[in-house]
Amino acid sequence: MIITIPTTPYSDQRPGTSGLRKKVRLFQRPHYAANFIQAVFDCVPGKPGASLVVGGDGRYFNREAIQLALRMAAANGFAHAIVGCGGVLSTPAASHLIRLRGAVGGLIFSASHNPGGPDEDFGIKYNIANGGPAPETVTEAIFARTQVIKQYATLDTPDIDLDQRGACRLGDMSVEIIDPVADYAALMETLFDFAAIRAHRQSGFSLIFDAMHAVTGPYAIEILQRRLGFENGSVVNGVPLPDFGGGHPDPNLVNARALYERMMARGAPDFGAASDGDGDRNLVIGRGRYVSPSDALAILAANAHLAPGYAKGLAGIARSMPTSAAADHVAAALEIALYETPTGWKFFGNLLDAGLATICGEESAGAGSDHVREKDGLWAVLLWLNILAVRRLSVDALIQDHWRRFGRNYYVRHDYEGIESSQAESLIQALRAKLSSLPGQAFGSLIVKAADDFAYTDPVDGSISRNQGLRILFTNGSRMVFRLSGTGTVGATLRLYLEHYVAADGDLAMSLSDALADLIAAAQAVAELESRIGRSQPDVVT
Ligand code: G1P
Ligand code: ZN
């Protein structure tokens, strides 16, 4: 029976860079998750007769949230729900399912790379019919609904068995519990030359994939071990756990340290990779060679035609503004368009739908293509494997070859975490206020050429997104960007992105600290980091 529960608004339900993300305990407040889900459903057009995809990354509170969402979906008139068995779907697999099954949208329960557990993070993300994250117009409409909500609709039925594949009913809605891996693995087989990767493996090529006890474990075991034949044990930390084994499922050099150390040690496999909580990020490390995500995007774009799914070439490349310009050099050489968008995958959706871009990427370990509408960790790994199987180079040789052709964008991101929000805001405001006076000013040997607050006009629908990061460009082609994170759950995180380009005939073998030392000093000075937030060193360097 449908029941209507009275409720009152929470003021803090505006979605951030990637959905609504909060501490689990905040989600457990009375009606908190239900309010948000009802606001989402209020913004979904055409629910009668429609299908909804539901899944999550398996973190703490995932199952409770899914049971609630399914009851509410039935009470809100959806005809059909497609749910990953165990309540599990990686973000890219959910995006694929929405598209494959013609669903009107999907709910993905994840806080991505943030830690999980009763004292950690949870999140709800709504994806629209194209399979991608809801654009800002939709997330703002959802937020507006949360601010006036008075009631939500649900059923008074018991929980369903999420671990039993097959069909069941919830009120008038049919529920289909499916294998979360099968459709996704089949899609990967259409894009990549599995036979070539297997042949490369048979010639001795080895890999290690760290699933970080997050959602990609079952996907990686099926695809890398079962279908491609990499030996058992190639996938490590492959069992998803609600608290990710106490780890922080963010595949960067801090949290995937064990993988990094193994790849730098004697006897390392040829290729190492990791993915995050919900399977959309990727980290790639060759034997003795870390690949920055910005370089990875450029290398993948330059070589994608070697994989069957991209043999026709790319329509264009898109990258988020703070991502390095390495991909720009590739786009120029291929004579295809390069799009520079604000941070967050939702900005790529229109470009992919319109066929303007084929491959997209962000400096934050995200890459993907038009095969789904999310970034996709295992997709990136498979594209690397396909490229390496064709070119038969080590990762290190491939990257050196790339730099010799396109030049090198030395790049680093500094994160200052857990800053008091008001201090972070006032730092940004003060910097914004002086942007117009910066051109012509010198910081050491660096001279400011231009400075602005990045705004983006979507070329497809004309929508404008302002205040997307402060950019300072120097006459020698160096660049720094300041922005505040939109995914954190405690205080504010200031991200500082630093980049220095050296052309193909320049010094391609500097250390990052040498290449970027002047820029780091300039950043400290221009933003008055020490006096404003009391920090002289970042918490995380990636
Ligand atoms: C971060 C990354 C961004 C990514 C997002 C979701 O957002 O910087 O590139 O799209 O996570 O994975 P931020 O915390 O910077 O707002
Ligand atoms: Zn993620």
Side-chain angles (χ1 to χ4, degrees):
M1 198 181 76
I2 295 178
I3 50 175
T4 302
I5 313 262
T7 187
T8 50
Y10 286 94
S11 62
D12 64 346
Q13 294 199 322
R14 174 176 260 131
T17 311
S18 192
L20 183 69
R21 212 175 276 185
K22 303 275 173 207
K23 289 286 169 209
V24 166
R25 298 218 188 272
L26 298 183
F27 268 106
Q28 288 169 325
R29 283 175 291 174
H31 312 309
Y32 191 84
N35 277 14
F36 188 74
I37 293 168
Q38 185 63 54
V40 169
F41 289 164
D42 287 345
C43 296
V44 179
K47 288 183 284 284
S51 299
L52 180 75
V53 168
V54 179
D57 64 12
R59 70 177 57 227
Y60 188 85
F61 201 55
N62 192 46
R63 286 172 179 264
E64 292 88 330
I66 287 181
Q67 297 284 0
L68 173 70
L70 290 173
R71 277 194 283 266
M72 290 182 63
N76 275 272
F78 286 95
H80 187 61
I82 304 158
V83 188
C85 191
V88 166
L89 279 175
S90 78
T91 288
S95 180
H96 176 51
L97 265 182
I98 294 169
R99 299 165 63 77
L100 182 71
R101 304 291 290 271
V104 72
L107 281 171
I108 304 175
F109 295 95
S110 169
S112 187
H113 50 286
N114 294 14
D119 296 316
E120 298 295 353
D121 294 353
F122 192 74
I124 306 181
K125 204 164 77 149
Y126 180 66
N127 281 28
I128 58 174
N130 75 350
E136 272 189 348
T137 44
V138 177
T139 55
E140 283 301 303
I142 292 169
F143 176 61
R145 286 297 305 163
T146 65
Q147 297 310 290
V148 295
I149 192 161
K150 293 193 176 66
Q151 58 189 44
Y152 63 89
T154 187
L155 302 183
D156 58 356
T157 50
D159 285 355
I160 60 166
D161 184 355
L162 292 173
D163 297 302
Q164 189 66 45
R165 278 191 221 166
C168 63
R169 293 198 74 79
L170 255 179
D172 290 336
M173 183 176 80
S174 56
V175 179
E176 192 185 342
I177 307 225
I178 60 154
D179 173 356
V181 176
D183 292 312
Y184 176 82
L187 173 67
M188 293 299 115
E189 294 223 35
T190 68
L191 298 173
F192 301 114
D193 188 344
F194 275 41
I197 300 172
R198 274 193 293 266
H200 194 204
R201 170 187 58 76
Q202 275 156 0
S203 72
F205 177 83
S206 58
L207 68 73
I208 177 170
F209 179 87
D210 187 346
M212 303 188 89
H213 287 303
V215 78
T216 47
Y219 294 84
I221 288 169
E222 172 63 25
I223 294 170
L224 300 176
Q225 293 186 179
R226 295 212 186 95
R227 299 198 186 194
L228 290 169
F230 286 98
E231 64 184 57
N232 288 347
S234 301
V235 176
V236 298
N237 301 323
V239 179
L241 297 173
D243 66 348
F244 308 113
H248 187 151
D250 189 353
N252 61 29
L253 296 183
V254 175
N255 297 303
R257 196 72 201 170
L259 175 71
Y260 176 80
E261 273 160 14
R262 180 144 174 209
M263 293 307 297
M264 296 299 142
R266 283 165 71 98
D270 294 292
F271 186 83
S275 190
D276 72 330
D278 62 332
D280 56 0
R281 293 187 174 203
N282 76 88
L283 167 73
V284 164
I285 311 176
R287 180 188 296 128
R289 165 64 69 184
Y290 164 68
V291 187
S292 82
S294 294
D295 278 342
L297 172 66
I299 291 170
L300 293 181
N303 294 280
H305 61 280
L306 301 175
Y310 307 93
K312 290 198 304 254
L314 309 179
I317 307 172
R319 64 162 173 86
S320 66
M321 181 274 283
T323 304
S324 96
D328 303 29
H329 304 294
V330 175
L334 296 177
E335 298 182 359
I336 57 175
L338 185 286
Y339 298 90
E340 188 177 30
T341 61
T343 293
W345 208 261
K346 60 191 170 201
F347 293 101
F348 295 135
N350 277 349
L351 299 173
L352 293 167
D353 283 352
L356 295 174
T358 309
I359 282 191
C360 310
E362 295 193 273
E363 51 67 38
S364 52
S369 86
D370 58 0
H371 69 292
V372 292
R373 292 294 179 274
E374 290 277 6
K375 58 190 176 234
D376 188 342
L378 270 168
W379 168 90
V381 169
L382 291 167
L383 181 50
W384 272 100
L385 295 183
N386 197 146
I387 292 166
L388 294 171
V390 174
R391 294 201 54 184
R392 299 280 170 137
L393 292 173
S394 69
V395 171
D396 184 46
L398 186 65
I399 201 167
Q400 305 278 357
D401 175 73
H402 185 91
W403 290 335
R404 277 194 298 271
R405 188 164 160 215
F406 297 101
R408 178 171 180 185
N409 292 73
Y410 288 94
Y411 181 87
V412 76
R413 184 178 99 184
H414 286 185
D415 291 337
Y416 295 83
E417 297 179 339
I419 310 172
E420 208 187 295
S421 299
S422 59
Q423 285 188 351
E425 286 294 342
S426 61
L427 182 148
I428 291 288
Q429 271 169 29
L431 191 52
R432 185 179 282 131
K434 67 178 173 191
L435 286 177
S436 60
S437 67
L438 289 177
Q441 277 191 40
F443 293 87
S445 61
L446 294 166
I447 298 163
V448 178
K449 183 176 163 204
D452 69 359
D453 191 346
F454 182 62
Y456 176 67
T457 304
D458 185 297
V460 178
D461 65 19
S463 60
I464 300 177
S465 302
R466 298 184 204 282
N467 301 334
Q468 298 294 327
L470 308 181
R471 303 191 284 190
I472 304 178
L473 314 173
F474 296 89
T475 51
N476 69 346
S478 292
R479 180 182 84 149
M480 64 177 72
V481 175
F482 294 85
R483 61 177 282 280
L484 296 182
S485 159
T487 58
T489 55
V490 188
T493 293
L494 174 71
R495 302 204 197 285
L496 166 59
Y497 312 79
L498 302 148
E499 175 176 2
H500 175 61
Y501 178 64
V502 172
D505 57 359
D507 186 352
L508 302 174
M510 282 185 272
S511 71
L512 274 180
S513 45
D514 285 348
L516 297 170
D518 293 354
L519 210 49
I520 292 170
Q524 297 267 358
V526 74
E528 303 161 43
L529 285 182
E530 189 130 27
S531 64
R532 290 195 172 273
I533 58 173
R535 309 271 182 98
S536 56
Q537 293 296 326
D539 300 285
V540 180
V541 176
T542 47

